[in-house]
Amino acid sequence: MIPPGKALCAAGIIAGLLAFFWRDTFNPDSISGARVLLTGASTGIGEQMAYHYSRFGAEIVLTARRGTLLQKVMEKCLQLGAKRVFYIQADMSSPQAPEKVVQFALQKLGGLDHLVLNHIGGTPFRMWDGDVEHTRWLMQVNFLSYVALASAALPILAESKGSLIVVSSLTGKISTPFTTSYSATKFALDGFFSSLRHELAMQKQDVCITLCILGLIDTEMALEKTRGKVYMSAYPAAEAALAIIKGGATRAREVFYPWWLELLCCLRDWFPNQRDVVIQSFYNYTSA
């Protein structure tokens, strides 16, 4: 076992290297006129991404389950400076929805430069209760629909040398309590898209895949589910959304928000027993 003193020293060195080598090379002009398909765009992080893309002058197709909310988001996007905005109501629990959404985006925009996969299905924040059917449904929404959307859009992204941006979670890198089914879908995203990144590189296809690993974000849904159950701070959705957009625009391999999650992932396998005790200490079992 590595002595704690050496571990802390190594962690400090890693943090210093991350700070030294990380550069904000984002150029807002690179988004102007970009053709973007954004899923999960009616609320939360997706809504905030829609507003950021609009300020940068993108052309956007928004999609989510609730058409009324999408209409309101679209109207605000136009006010903020989006060159063109369209929306299509779609439920990603339907296997037919991904192809329909991609074809709609191609019809309206004439191509794609950024495909941003952000939608999630609702899931309880509690201990595993044996609900296999819910897990099957969640895999369709959180994983299989991502695969279908990416597959339908890849030929178009290859033509434009575009970016495929996958919004994931720390629970897709490090397992945590009360997120069994959700965590499974996020680990699946990491496995599939990391493998696909290799294959695209081997085939010399210039499509960037950016995997975004987020911590607890202050969306209404996340705060409602974790209230009284998690002892940690939530970070602003608007900042998370901007970090995702910057990562996709600069063709980053991975984006971590907040930044220290990258350090946490680097250290996750050093002291597994102690790590698990620390993780569990952030959760209130009696309220779950």
Side-chain angles (χ1 to χ4, degrees), residues 144-159:
L144 293 175
S145 69
Y146 278 51
V147 173
L149 283 158
S151 298
L154 268 176
I156 311 303
L157 291 172
E159 289 180 8

Side-chain angles (χ1 to χ4, degrees), residues 80-95:
L80 290 172
K83 292 189 176 178
R84 292 193 297 166
V85 188
F86 308 93
Y87 77 87
I88 176 172
Q89 185 175 354
D91 184 345
M92 291 301 168
S93 66
S94 167

